[in-house]
């Protein structure tokens, strides 16, 4: 969008931005637009580290999480267990529905340098608002590559938590392989 006066200050303003707002914004930030080189150097270093974290996350997702989720989804499907896998932004969510409870595992790069596995197990109450929620979160550092076994362990942890509380009267048991 080009504003009426055609000055350099008002050319190339995004269409969704208001002219008066952009002029107000520019009048306040222009005196401070010169950034010292050392500050820009620190920003470039931070972006380099961020790219390394992003690569470690992408590698972990592509080589560990997605294959493990694909196997789990195939197994759940053959056993006719209601489930859903969804993505939003940089997160992957697996939701498993059972008669009176459901669980969700959300995998995301929640911080620039960490991958988080958020476990949400919800037991539905007899009346509205009586639901019981159990949340747990595990974070892994993305400064170094994450071993693929972590994805399998987190999926097994999630599934065991979902299954352990189904029989409330029975004492807690340790799943096989623990």
């Amino acid at each position: 969008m080009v504003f009426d006066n055609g000055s350099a200050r008002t050319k190339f303003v995004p269409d969704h931005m208001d002219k008066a707002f952009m002029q107000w914004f520019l009048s306040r930030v222009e005196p401070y637009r010169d950034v010292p080189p050392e500050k820009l150097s620190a920003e470039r270093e931070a972006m380099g580290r961020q790219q390394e974290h992003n690569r470690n996350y992408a590698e972990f997702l592509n080589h560990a999480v997605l294959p493990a989720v694909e196997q789990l989804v195939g197994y759940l499907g053959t056993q006719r267990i209601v489930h859903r896998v969804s993505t939003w932004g940089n997160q992957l969510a697996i939701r498993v529905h059972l008669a009176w409870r459901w669980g969700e595992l959300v995998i995301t790069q929640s911080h620039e340098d960490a991958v988080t596995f958020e476990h949400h197990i919800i037991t539905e109450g007899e009346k509205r608002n009586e639901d019981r929620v159990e949340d747990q979160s595990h974070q892994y550092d993305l400064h170094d590559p994450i071993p693929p076994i972590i994805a399998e362990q987190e999926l097994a942890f999630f599934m065991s938590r979902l299954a352990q509380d189904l029989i409330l009267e029975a004492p807690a048991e340790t799943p096989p392989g623990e």
Side-chain angles (χ1 to χ4, degrees), residues 82-97:
V82 178
H83 63 283
R84 179 184 74 200
V85 177
S86 61
T87 59
W88 186 75
N90 73 343
Q91 77 178 29
L92 172 71
I94 304 152
R95 182 175 283 200
V96 177
H97 291 274

Side-chain angles (χ1 to χ4, degrees), residues 18-82:
D18 178 78
K19 174 184 172 185
F21 170 78
M22 290 309 297
Q23 288 176 336
W24 170 84
F25 173 79
L26 287 174
S27 70
R28 280 152 181 80
V29 299
E30 278 181 328
Y32 305 98
R33 68 180 171 198
D34 293 326
V35 180
E38 61 274 6
K39 197 171 185 180
L40 292 178
S41 174
E43 178 65 20
R44 280 190 284 281
E45 288 174 24
M47 288 307 299
R49 285 190 307 274
Q50 179 65 47
Q51 291 305 319
E52 182 180 336
H53 301 154
N54 291 347
R55 276 190 302 278
N56 288 340
Y57 181 59
E59 186 173 313
F60 180 60
L61 272 182
N62 292 325
H63 297 112
V65 172
L66 294 178
V69 167
E70 187 174 5
Q71 287 180 347
L72 175 63
V73 165
Y75 181 74
L76 293 173
T78 61
Q79 302 303 311
R80 299 187 349 241
I81 296 173
V82 178

Side-chain angles (χ1 to χ4, degrees), residues 89-147:
N90 73 343
Q91 77 178 29
L92 172 71
I94 304 152
R95 182 175 283 200
V96 177
H97 291 274
L98 301 170
W100 48 274
R101 71 184 291 117
W102 58 274
E104 183 174 58
L105 174 62
V106 178
I107 305 163
T108 185
Q109 186 176 355
S110 55
H111 304 287
E112 72 177 31
D113 61 349
V115 59
T116 301
F117 288 80
E118 294 176 355
H119 304 260
H120 309 289
I121 309 293
I122 290 83
T123 303
E124 297 171 359
E126 300 234 349
K127 297 179 184 169
R128 190 179 180 114
N129 297 328
E130 284 186 357
D131 295 352
R132 190 183 78 210
V133 178
E134 297 176 33
D135 292 337
Q136 229 169 13
S137 180
H138 301 148
Q139 280 193 345
Y140 299 91
D141 191 338
L142 287 170
H143 287 97
D144 296 312
I146 300 172

